[in-house]
Amino acid sequence: MRVRIRSWASVTWLVAFLAVLTVALAPAAGAVAAEQSDDVYRLTIVRLNCDDEAEAFSDEVELWVDGAFVDRRNNMDGGDWWDINRSYDFQNSIEIVIRENDGWVIGSKTVSSQEANQGLKVHPMPGFHGTAYYYRLTYYVTGPI
């Protein structure tokens, strides 16, 4: 009789645990489903500020979006900025990469659809490549569109 009570208590505990786990994971499953929706969002890259350049002389920076070269700006020094003002439609996420034209990465940012309608965002890009450098990328996301 005692064995049956322990077994019944174990089964009751297991059922309760699974119920709590199901409730706890339900929002996460919904978030994944929402993130994989067919909704389209728009990323607008506003500006790139160079507060301190990376190389001893001016930087020649390139903008890459989702692995594709977009444009470049030569002679970026500390205090310079590049008004980019370009928009890109995407689903789920999109990647922005800022490179020096020598090929090394100054900084990158993966932008998510979860950032939509939150206003301007500034992503800092500090680092060291021969000298310390500091860039700031300003962007915003709208949607779904």
Side-chain angles (χ1 to χ4, degrees):
M1 186 72 146
R2 212 177 246 189
V3 172
R4 287 184 183 168
I5 293 172
R6 283 187 184 169
S7 296
W8 178 251
S10 296
V11 169
T12 303
W13 179 86
L14 181 59
V15 169
F17 174 76
L18 290 174
V20 168
L21 187 61
T22 301
V23 170
L25 293 178
V32 170
E35 190 172 314
Q36 294 177 350
S37 73
D38 292 334
D39 290 341
V40 175
Y41 296 84
R42 180 161 294 144
L43 162 69
T44 301
I45 303 172
V46 177
R47 169 185 264 199
L48 180 68
N49 287 76
C50 174
D51 295 325
D52 197 359
E53 70 270 18
E55 298 186 330
F57 300 100
S58 300
D59 293 341
E60 289 73 41
V61 298
E62 298 176 344
L63 171 64
W64 293 72
V65 177
D66 263 1
F69 173 79
V70 175
D71 201 357
R72 76 174 35 120
R73 165 85 193 272
N74 292 324
N75 301 323
M76 292 281 286
D77 294 308
D80 289 346
W81 66 89
W82 177 12
D83 287 326
I84 298 172
N85 295 318
R86 292 179 185 242
S87 297
Y88 304 90
D89 293 347
F90 70 98
Q91 294 176 309
N92 303 325
S93 66
I94 187 168
E95 183 179 33
I96 306 166
V97 177
I98 305 297
R99 294 180 178 223
E100 223 299 327
N101 74 345
D102 295 339
W104 57 273
V105 174
I106 291 173
S108 64
K109 171 67 177 153
T110 300
V111 177
S112 164
S113 60
Q114 295 173 346
E115 297 182 61
N117 307 314
Q118 296 179 7
L120 283 177
K121 297 202 168 225
V122 178
H123 178 70
M125 296 179 173
F128 187 86
H129 186 84
T131 63
Y133 63 85
Y134 194 89
Y135 281 81
R136 290 176 288 132
L137 179 70
T138 303
Y139 68 94
Y140 64 92
V141 178
T142 55
I145 55 173

